Amino acid sequence: MTAPISERLDDPDAARAEGRRKIEWVRQHMPILSAVSERFEAEQPLAGERIGMAMHVEAKTAALVEVLAAGGAEVAITGCNPLSTHDDVSAALDAVEGVTSYAERGVDDEAYYAAIEAVIGHDPTITVDDGGDMVFAIHEDYPELLGTVVGGCEETTTGVHRLRAMDADGALEYPMFAVNDTPTKRLFDNVHGTGESALAAIAMTTNLSWAGKTVVVAGYGYCGKGVAKKASGQNADVVVTEVDPRRALEAHMEGYDVMPMAEAAAEGDVFVTTTGNRDVIVEDHFEVMQDGAVLANAGHFDVEIDIEGLADMAVDSYEARDGVRAYELADGRRIHVLAEGRLVNLAAPVALGHPVEVMDQSFGVQALCVEELLEGDYDAGVHDVPDAVDREVADIKLAAEGVGYDSLSDAQREYMDSWQHGT
């Protein structure tokens, strides 16, 4: 049976101290979670609940976990990616009253899924997921729990896609909030969070400049838009590849070169996948890439770049830098893959994930959605985040920033709600 992280570290006290230092830093910059935590501590809306979480276990996530614990919940957590856990933060969380952390960086697949099973062993009444692995495991292997799970929240695009597919097949047995799809998450976390953190992780891992590079962005959803916008802002030439004609047209109208990956493969210096789908960059593309091409994934799972196919083509591979594996082809060209093709902004050795201020919004929504699940009456299936919850998060953030905004007058509201007013 998987033991909590504190029982597996050589020096858990030192790890806890360093992890606590990181957590306290991010909490200073998270006014939304601070406001929610203050209310949760006073009202105890989560008392008696058991929350099972599979998330990227780093300092910002730890702040969310502590808010949920402050609200009275018992929380068990593990990672949602084998390379995104910060062990010191995981150890610090494990020392918090009411929290058990099983997350550990660098585990193999067997240990990864064993940790998810350990969290499920706490018999969660609520799940908070990033990618859908915990929800899927409960449905597949622990159906006896389905009657006691009140509901859950899903953080990321890939997870929401999985849940909607489950729902369409009639296989989703409890209500899930699509946190990824709500405006205060999608418009900020996906655009600014992914855009800034992915490019920062790539730059720190490679020590290369963006200026003058040709950056190929695969996918022009919200994450792809963020990567393209931020790369262009650092004086890179941006090429977008897409499978949706409307998004391809949008990218074209916003000034980017748009072409199929088969053409873009020969043009790019750096490739960033953001699709959430598999086989985005494959053998045909490797065959025409320039010597020194850098490949990174900013989607969720490590299936967007066909690393097995690249390894089969290579005559040699080696660690060129920490987090950078070089694959040398028969003609001498070298193709570099970052963070094993996993989520580069969290899995690269120096990656820190999204900026603190961005995750404050996303995790504020998460915390309030957990409360909403207990207060509301939701049927099994995927649900949008209630508009009132999303607006509350935006209101807290604007107040903390000292930003005011207008409100509709009664006359304006009546005008907008009426069909009888014409020209």
Side-chain angles (χ1 to χ4, degrees):
M1 182 176 178
T2 300
I5 181 70
S6 295
E7 298 179 22
R8 290 180 270 135
L9 296 177
D10 293 334
D11 191 348
D13 289 337
R16 280 191 287 264
E18 178 60 17
R20 175 52 49 190
R21 188 168 72 103
K22 292 179 179 179
I23 296 169
E24 292 305 319
W25 168 258
V26 303
R27 289 183 62 164
Q28 295 176 51
H29 304 278
M30 302 183 92
I32 299 169
L33 280 188
S34 294
V36 174
S37 182
E38 184 176 345
R39 180 170 68 79
F40 274 20
E41 192 166 357
E43 298 177 4
Q44 294 291 288
L46 312 183
E49 301 300 328
R50 299 179 301 278
I51 301 178
M53 304 178 70
M55 305 281 284
H56 300 292
V57 180
E58 45 84 50
K60 300 177 289 293
T61 307
L64 169 62
V65 173
E66 292 187 341
V67 169
L68 300 176
E74 175 188 313
V75 183
I77 187 169
T78 188
C80 64
N81 185 298
L83 292 179
S84 64
T85 292
H86 293 202
D87 286 347
D88 50 3
V89 172
S90 182
L93 270 182
D94 197 50
V96 174
E97 184 177 356
V99 178
T100 306
S101 180
Y102 298 94
E104 183 178 7
R105 183 182 178 89
V107 295
D108 58 21
D109 284 352
E110 182 179 355
Y112 172 80
Y113 288 108
I116 289 178
E117 291 180 355
V119 171
I120 296 172
H122 288 250
D123 297 340
T125 56
I126 294 173
T127 61
V128 180
D129 224 334
D130 190 316
D133 279 348
M134 181 164 294
V135 174
F136 183 78
I138 290 174
H139 281 74
E140 193 79 356
D141 301 321
Y142 299 88
E144 68 275 10
L145 295 180
L146 292 173
T148 58
V149 176
V150 176
C153 306
E154 172 53 49
E155 170 74 9
T156 198
T157 306
T158 300
V160 170
H161 285 168
R162 294 180 79 184
L163 291 174
R164 293 197 188 281
M166 287 179 71
D167 197 10
D169 287 344
L172 184 57
E173 297 290 339
Y174 60 82
M176 291 290 302
F177 277 131
V179 172
N180 176 80
D181 292 355
T182 203
T184 54
K185 199 278 185 186
R186 181 177 56 201
L187 297 176
F188 303 97
D189 184 306
N190 291 1
V191 175
H192 298 286
T194 301
E196 292 181 21
S197 64
L199 295 186
I202 294 168
M204 288 189 293
T205 303
T206 63
N207 196 32
L208 298 176
S209 171
W210 292 107
K213 295 285 194 306
T214 296
V215 178
V216 177
V217 181
Y220 202 67
Y222 287 96
C223 292
K225 289 176 186 177
V227 172
K229 179 179 181 179
K230 305 296 182 178
S232 179
Q234 296 190 63
N235 299 320
D237 295 319
V238 176
V239 174
V240 171
T241 71
E242 249 299 344
V243 296
D244 186 302
R246 296 158 298 185
R247 288 179 175 173
L249 180 58
E250 183 181 11
H252 170 69
M253 295 293 284
E254 291 183 357
Y256 302 116
D257 291 331
V258 179
M259 61 185 72
M261 182 61 78
E263 297 177 22
E267 303 290 330
D269 298 302
V270 181
F271 296 77
V272 186
T273 57
T274 69
T275 71
N277 208 338
R278 62 174 299 156
D279 300 333
V280 178
I281 301 178
V282 295
E283 183 175 344
D284 288 346
H285 307 134
F286 302 139
E287 288 178 348
V288 298
M289 283 184 179
Q290 301 177 45
D291 180 30
V294 172
L295 279 57
N297 171 42
H300 188 77
F301 293 118
D302 59 339
V303 296
E304 303 207 19
I305 303 167
D306 182 12
I307 297 176
E308 289 186 7
L310 179 58
D312 289 342
M313 292 175 63
V315 295
D316 188 22
S317 72
Y318 54 92
E319 203 74 2
R321 287 173 60 87
D322 288 347
V324 182
R325 176 153 289 275
Y327 293 86
E328 186 173 339
L329 305 183
D331 60 6
R333 286 180 298 123
R334 292 153 297 178
I335 296 174
H336 303 100
V337 177
L338 274 55
E340 301 177 12
R342 298 189 183 275
L343 197 57
V344 70
N345 57 339
L346 281 156
V350 292
L352 297 174
H354 290 358
V356 178
E357 298 91 341
V358 167
M359 293 313 301
D360 187 32
Q361 295 178 193
S362 297
F363 287 158
V365 174
Q366 289 276 24
L368 293 177
C369 280
V370 169
E371 181 183 37
E372 176 66 21
L373 284 167
L374 298 172
E375 294 180 347
D377 184 17
Y378 294 91
D379 295 329
V382 179
H383 297 267
D384 292 334
V385 173
D387 192 59
V389 169
D390 200 61
R391 288 179 179 274
E392 180 179 353
V393 169
D395 278 337
I396 295 171
K397 178 67 171 180
L398 289 170
E401 297 285 331
V403 177
Y405 63 100
D406 289 324
S407 58
L408 295 175
S409 67
D410 291 342
Q412 287 175 321
R413 189 171 288 107
E414 190 273 333
Y415 181 85
M416 294 299 292
D417 291 341
S418 173
W419 57 268
Q420 294 172 319
H421 294 292
T423 56

